[in-house]
Amino acid sequence: MQIAITIFLLVMAALMIPGGKLTDRYGRKRCFLAGLAVYGVGALLSAIAPGLGILILGNSILEGVGTALLIPPVYILTTLPYTEVTSRARAFGTIMALGGIGAAAGPLIGGLITSAIS
């Protein structure tokens, strides 16, 4: 399991700068939607994974690529409506707080659902 998590972080980190470049080249909305689609396919594949190989493909590779495509447009799209420094800082703080809550609560909720089903 740790291998899948480590590969996810490696793929995401390695593709973050190219993801930003693709956002510049093809547009924020297109990259955001492509990232959602790739991440969604990876999440579905991870959910039905019978073994570690499919889990690595879904979680590590596809979700890592999807995340690298999602993060740059989110930050760019956040800067557009918030032009003042204080409102922009508040918006970024909210995004970071919700991301932290999701990162902490996601495995816990997933563990509860998995324990209840199996």
Side-chain angles (χ1 to χ4, degrees):
M1 295 304 286
Q2 188 62 38
I3 289 172
I5 294 168
T6 303
I7 294 172
F8 165 77
L9 293 172
L10 181 65
V11 169
M12 181 186 66
L15 296 178
M16 194 67 65
I17 292 174
K21 186 69 174 169
L22 289 174
T23 300
D24 289 341
R25 179 171 288 177
Y26 296 112
R28 298 177 291 265
K29 184 177 180 182
R30 184 177 289 169
C31 283
F32 183 76
L33 293 175
L36 280 177
V38 171
Y39 190 91
V41 169
L44 285 173
L45 200 58
S46 297
I48 62 169
L52 186 61
I54 301 298
L55 182 67
I56 287 175
L57 174 65
N59 186 300
S60 304
I61 306 299
L62 292 177
E63 287 185 22
V65 170
T67 302
L69 286 172
L70 278 170
I71 290 176
V74 165
Y75 291 117
I76 294 168
L77 290 170
T78 302
T79 61
L80 295 176
Y82 301 103
T83 55
E84 297 179 11
V85 175
T86 55
S87 63
R88 187 177 286 180
R90 192 173 295 118
F92 280 119
T94 302
I95 289 172
M96 292 298 165
L98 292 174
I101 290 169
L108 295 173
I109 294 170
L112 290 172
I113 293 171
T114 304
S115 296
I117 291 174
S118 59

